[in-house]
Amino acid sequence: MYLLYLDDSGSPKNANERHFVLGGFCIHEQGSYWVNKHLDELAEQIDPDHPQHVEFHASEIFRGKTDPWQKITKDRRREYIKDVLRVASRESKNISVFACAVYKPSFPNDDPVKLAFEDICQRFQYFLNRIYRESKQKERHQGLIVLDKSSHETSLQSLATHFRSKGTRWGHLNNIHEVPLFVDSEASRSIQLADHIAYSVFRRYEAGDINYFNIIQGCFDSADGKVHGLAHKQYAFPECTCPSCLTLKKGP
């Protein structure tokens, strides 16, 4: 089974923010041990006595207003965000990153959460189908989506059920479990990594800050020279040169 850990960044209803992002990473169930190990080791550097109390939440690290981050310099906090993201790049052979950035002004009558979740569900389905074809195994891999329970639990549960039974606009989700699993981010290092991925994508599109995004840019799911794991849903920037828009310009 493949697990897709997702978290969001940005507020769907905040008019001061132009983007909403849903992002995270996919990993085989046997590979999550190494993500936990790397992040636990990083937590031990921050609080050797109580590493289990260190939660990696990118926006809180960036702002530095809560413990233990308020005791750490701005530059070192920024470096810790990068250190978390480097776990994804370090495990790039086992991890495939997925994210969808919705430019909200392009979709004034649509729910950005639904747009992003539908997009990533379908990309995850394509990933599972491709792994099946490439492995030539008799049975298809199943997929399970895991989200932070503080995210849009009720709406995403109903959306997942709808997509499972009715399909998305691109087809059916035959290999994804019907209802996502919601977990507490404080207890899940994998969700904490997903949080950082979503935040890095949000910073790239919302603030033009590529310092974090560049660390994971090579980790997005890709095949045949095209990036499949990143979506930039917008109609306002025809000259956008992000990996997603460049892939669309290449055509089928």
Side-chain angles (χ1 to χ4, degrees), residues 28-142:
H28 191 271
E29 58 183 325
Q30 297 177 345
S32 57
Y33 165 81
W34 293 105
V35 171
N36 295 332
K37 184 177 186 299
H38 295 320
L39 290 180
D40 283 342
E41 290 173 350
L42 184 58
E44 289 176 0
Q45 297 178 23
I46 299 167
D47 188 347
D49 296 326
H50 305 93
Q52 69 276 13
H53 294 163
V54 177
E55 180 179 359
F56 296 106
H57 194 287
S59 62
E60 291 186 4
I61 301 174
F62 189 87
R63 291 193 295 265
K65 294 183 179 180
T66 59
D67 283 332
W69 314 113
Q70 62 184 5
K71 303 174 184 178
I72 301 174
T73 65
K74 176 181 177 180
D75 289 343
R76 191 65 191 96
R77 294 199 314 271
R78 304 295 194 268
E79 197 62 29
Y80 277 131
I81 296 175
K82 294 178 182 179
D83 286 341
V84 173
L85 292 168
R86 290 185 183 110
V87 172
S89 61
R90 184 186 306 179
E91 293 293 318
S92 59
K93 291 183 179 180
N94 302 314
I95 282 177
S96 294
V97 170
F98 290 82
C100 179
V102 179
Y103 182 68
K104 294 186 294 184
S106 288
F107 305 92
N109 300 317
D110 293 310
D111 178 3
V113 178
K114 178 180 179 180
L115 288 173
F117 189 59
E118 179 181 33
D119 185 275
I120 287 187
C121 282
Q122 192 61 56
R123 291 176 189 275
F124 188 30
Q125 176 71 40
Y126 288 157
F127 168 85
L128 294 171
N129 287 341
R130 191 177 75 244
I131 294 297
Y132 170 69
R133 293 195 304 270
E134 292 174 352
S135 65
K136 297 180 181 179
Q137 295 180 352
K138 294 182 179 180
E139 295 184 2
R140 294 178 180 270
H141 288 289
Q142 294 296 303

